[in-house]
Amino acid sequence: MYLYEVMKAVQLIEVDKDLENREVPKPEVKGDEVLVKIKAAGICHSDVHYRDGVGSVDKLPITLGHEIAGEVEEVGPNVTRFKKGDRVCVNYMITCGKCHFCAKGSEQFCEKGNMIGKNVDGGYAEYISIPSRGVYKLPDSVSFEHAAVMMCSTATSMHALKKTRFQPGETLAIFGFGGLGVSAFQLAKAFGARDIYAIDIDPDKLKSAKEMGAIPINAKDVDPVEKIMELTNGVGVDVALELVGLPLTLDQGTRVLARFGRLGLVGITRDPWEVDSYEAICREKEIIGCSDHLLSELPMILDLADQGKLDLSNVVTKEVPLEADPINEVYHQLKKFKADFRTVIKP
Ligand SMILES: [Zn+2]
Ligand SMILES: [Zn+2]
């Protein structure tokens, strides 16, 4: 007999070990919190890093998962914006709303920020309770599965395009056409991009890039910088997004920029690369770090999805139940880099 209600969760018990099925207390709802019955939780590459100890979690055991959508089950006494049954999605940072960074709308640097599924228990569970500040209503047209994934990769791409001040009529080079790249492409299209170059070495990804309307460039066959310079009559691109995290693509992204061009750094690496400062000065190039996303960017993403301008049906391609075995199998595939699809857990 339990003295509290329990729920199912799939947890990381020990770093470098498979996740396990657990029964944990069902979260309580206090003050300004919303209890969400989770309908979809995305499995992200960073979850695999946490499991492997590459990125560290704050506690063990922990319920991983930061890409969450579901239905409101219960609201705390101070919540007026939501009611039971509302379809919602969840920002992956729990932020205070009061500190210096929150006050200026840069919540990703909140002094008291906690990341769901890293600092606190996350979405591989039946329920989660979170402050209503980070909860958004989901348009009826957007599925739980797509919304969950949008909370991470699409939000990251949106922030990168905002940080690099991408304008209608500009050209864009996307280095790495995986899930992030596809989101960046669709968003840039919605923002009125002129030409979008998709650089990758995977023929399948390049094929889908071409089908979507991007200009595919296989970096195995040609030097992407030479190719883009040729296609732009030596001008280069206004914005390049580096989504891979390799010195090689960082170098290419820097060299391919036009005058006033901006390079957005998104792919994570600590490896340095060389910058020709003469070129950077003479062309007034900018190199811009892009970290996470802002709360204010989420409603824009949901609007664009509602308008049909964001379509994740090619990105979210697999669903698994809330069970340790199939989730561990997805981790194994992600680790081998075999899987560039997104898998969503459906509790
Ligand atoms: Zn993620
Ligand atoms: Zn804050």
Side-chain angles (χ1 to χ4, degrees):
M1 252 314 264
Y2 291 105
L3 294 170
Y4 43 80
E5 272 193 90
V6 293
M7 66 170 184
K8 214 165 124 183
V10 173
Q11 290 196 315
L12 176 66
I13 314 289
E14 210 181 314
V15 168
D16 239 351
K17 293 270 162 63
D18 278 346
L19 308 188
E20 291 179 26
N21 293 316
R22 295 288 287 257
E23 271 194 338
V24 299
K26 183 177 165 184
E28 286 175 6
V29 199
K30 295 175 288 253
D32 182 43
E33 288 175 351
V34 174
L35 181 71
V36 176
K37 185 174 174 28
I38 297 170
K39 295 284 193 180
I43 299 179
C44 185
H45 243 112
S46 43
D47 298 341
V48 183
H49 291 158
Y50 301 145
R51 198 264 323 254
D52 294 346
V54 179
S56 63
V57 291
D58 268 13
K59 63 175 193 119
L60 285 171
I62 187 167
T63 308
L64 299 177
H66 54 268
E67 306 178 357
I68 301 168
E71 243 170 47
V72 174
E73 174 83 5
E74 206 182 321
V75 296
N78 305 338
V79 176
T80 50
R81 275 199 306 139
F82 298 99
K83 58 176 192 317
K84 185 177 161 66
D86 283 345
R87 301 172 78 249
V88 294
C89 50
V90 174
N91 184 37
Y92 64 51
M93 283 286 283
I94 295 177
T95 58
C96 76
K98 297 186 182 91
C99 73
H100 167 72
F101 290 108
C102 281
K104 45 178 226 169
S106 303
E107 312 82 4
Q108 80 270 50
F109 299 121
C110 174
E111 286 166 0
K112 291 182 180 157
N114 271 321
M115 178 152 178
I116 294 172
K118 180 180 192 291
N119 308 121
V120 296
D121 282 326
Y124 298 4
E126 289 179 280
Y127 297 93
I128 189 166
S129 185
I130 32 178
S132 65
R133 179 178 149 74
V135 180
Y136 285 91
K137 279 205 182 118
L138 199 55
D140 287 340
S141 63
V142 182
S143 71
F144 291 120
E145 299 80 50
H146 291 183
V149 173
M150 279 177 205
M151 294 297 100
C152 184
S153 59
T154 312
T156 304
S157 300
M158 170 67 105
H159 187 60
L161 288 170
K162 302 284 271 181
K163 282 291 292 184
T164 51
R165 309 188 303 279
F166 187 76
Q167 302 295 314
E170 288 196 323
T171 52
L172 174 69
I174 301 172
F175 287 85
F177 208 71
L180 273 177
V182 172
S183 286
F185 171 81
Q186 293 182 346
L187 290 167
K189 266 275 228 264
F191 291 163
R194 185 152 41 109
D195 295 327
I196 305 174
Y197 302 90
I199 301 101
D200 210 291
I201 53 170
D202 179 336
D204 290 338
K205 289 187 203 162
L206 291 164
K207 189 168 163 262
S208 63
K210 190 172 180 195
E211 282 163 8
M212 287 177 203
I215 301 161
I217 294 175
N218 190 333
K220 244 184 188 163
D221 299 341
V222 292
D223 177 339
V225 179
E226 272 176 28
K227 186 73 193 167
I228 290 173
M229 284 303 175
E230 178 194 318
L231 293 170
T232 56
N233 298 318
V235 173
V237 293
D238 299 305
V239 171
L241 296 183
E242 205 285 336
L243 310 177
V244 185
L246 284 177
L248 173 70
T249 36
L250 285 161
D251 170 61
Q252 292 167 343
T254 316
R255 287 193 289 125
V256 81
L257 295 178
R259 288 187 173 79
F260 312 114
R262 289 88 69 198
L263 170 66
L265 309 187
V266 182
I268 289 175
T269 178
R270 280 188 179 269
D271 295 335
W273 85 102
E274 279 180 12
V275 175
D276 179 339
S277 62
Y278 179 83
E279 269 284 302
I281 292 164
C282 293
R283 291 188 159 228
E284 293 208 340
K285 294 179 181 181
E286 294 176 55
I287 293 168
I288 300 170
C290 308
S291 177
D292 290 316
H293 61 268
L294 311 179
L295 268 183
S296 60
E297 288 159 352
L298 296 182
M300 282 189 248
I301 291 170
L302 294 171
D303 257 8
L304 288 167
D306 192 28
Q307 292 165 18
K309 290 175 182 163
L310 266 175
D311 174 15
L312 274 77
S313 45
N314 287 332
V315 177
V316 183
T317 51
K318 199 176 165 190
E319 291 174 8
V320 291
L322 181 62
E323 289 289 340
D325 286 349
I327 296 172
N328 285 322
E329 181 51 35
V330 174
Y331 274 48
H332 294 149
Q333 292 181 19
L334 279 172
K335 219 187 153 178
K336 282 188 280 175
F337 273 102
K338 279 263 182 282
D340 197 66
F341 55 80
R342 280 286 184 150
T343 301
V344 166
I345 301 167
K346 303 266 294 172

